[in-house]
Amino acid sequence: MRDGFVVMRTFRHWTPRYLINRFRLGVYEVLHPNAPWLTPAAVGFLDAHLKKSDVGLEFGSGRSTAWFAGRIAHLTSIEHDRAWYEKVAPRLAAEGLTNVEYHLCESDQGDEGADRTDYVRCIDRFADKSLDFVLVDGIYRSACAVRVIPKLRPGGMLAVDNINWYLPCSSHAPNSRRASQGPVSSEWGRFHEATRNWQCVWTTSGVTDTAIYLKPL
């Protein structure tokens, strides 16, 4: 359980539409083996809007780490899983990426203790309005999403993966929340209120959703 969300293993979402969307996503991933594990539409949007001068932060590393590093000036990447960190770190070194600060911040705290973890508190090292881009795709997503808002410059982008698990929407992707359910937790409710007046590019593959919020100028 993370951020109030519990994954229930059922097959009720295995409708013909879901199976078609899953097949399409599989084809996309084969054709784009180095793309981040976000929706194809989100990847396309970020590819078009990230700039070589940008400074970024990501929570949750992987294929996205090298992909972002190749498009912006500097990236700080935070990972909580040691085994995964030890797989990704050699790949970054092999690609000769010198503009990435890669940090392992292990944690066994529950959601209630998120603000006390090094994983979340690493946000405090950044000055307000100093980041051009943030990806929230790891643990403690609500705490990271709320706490990083002041660190984004006006016009900056905040991407949240699997957003349909946390905020109400009309998505057909599995485990999507409906308007009658509201945000999955009070902290996600605070995030929703804080970004109410932001432009939001909500994307879906029919399998997963990624939202990109643009901080007002």
Side-chain angles (χ1 to χ4, degrees):
M1 176 175 174
R2 289 292 184 187
D3 290 329
F5 178 76
V6 180
V7 176
M8 301 296 291
R9 288 191 172 276
T10 68
F11 295 92
R12 288 177 295 178
H13 63 278
W14 286 65
T15 63
R17 174 167 55 188
Y18 171 79
L19 293 173
I20 291 171
N21 288 332
R22 190 179 176 95
F23 173 77
R24 288 173 175 167
L25 183 60
V27 171
Y28 171 86
E29 291 181 345
V30 169
L31 296 177
H32 301 83
N34 297 317
W37 284 308
L38 307 172
T39 66
V43 173
F45 184 90
L46 292 170
D47 194 29
H49 290 84
L50 289 171
K51 299 187 292 293
K52 282 292 186 180
S53 58
D54 284 350
V55 175
L57 168 65
E58 71 166 358
F59 291 94
S61 62
R63 296 194 315 201
S64 61
T65 309
W67 192 87
F68 288 129
R71 286 162 174 77
I72 64 177
H74 189 271
L75 177 70
T76 301
S77 180
I78 310 299
E79 177 57 51
H80 80 282
D81 186 296
R82 178 175 291 276
W84 185 245
Y85 175 89
E86 291 175 350
K87 287 183 179 179
V88 174
R91 297 175 188 172
L92 298 178
E95 293 192 34
L97 295 169
T98 59
N99 62 334
V100 180
E101 289 185 40
Y102 192 29
H103 299 282
L104 175 65
C105 295
E106 295 178 289
S107 178
D108 58 1
Q109 293 285 330
D111 290 337
E112 296 78 8
D115 284 334
R116 298 190 299 272
T117 64
D118 289 340
Y119 188 92
V120 175
R121 291 175 63 185
C122 74
I123 296 170
D124 297 338
R125 75 180 65 177
F126 297 94
D128 287 355
K129 301 179 182 179
S130 64
L131 294 170
D132 299 287
F133 166 72
V134 178
L135 171 64
V136 176
D137 191 22
I139 59 173
Y140 306 133
R141 294 191 193 188
S142 59
C144 292
V146 170
R147 196 159 178 164
V148 82
I149 287 175
K151 309 303 180 181
L152 272 173
R153 66 166 180 81
M157 295 183 292
L158 171 55
V160 183
D161 198 26
N162 305 117
I163 187 68
N164 56 306
W165 295 352
Y166 309 117
L167 295 180
C169 60
S170 59
S171 174
H172 294 293
N175 301 306
S176 295
R177 295 185 68 77
R178 298 298 170 229
S180 60
Q181 296 176 294
V184 73
S185 68
S186 59
E187 195 157 35
W188 278 112
R190 290 196 293 276
F191 174 81
H192 183 59
E193 286 299 315
T195 58
R196 183 177 293 277
N197 296 322
W198 296 28
Q199 179 184 351
C200 178
V201 180
W202 188 299
T203 68
T204 183
S205 65
V207 179
T208 62
D209 287 22
T210 306
I212 303 170
Y213 295 85
L214 282 72
K215 191 172 187 178
L217 294 171

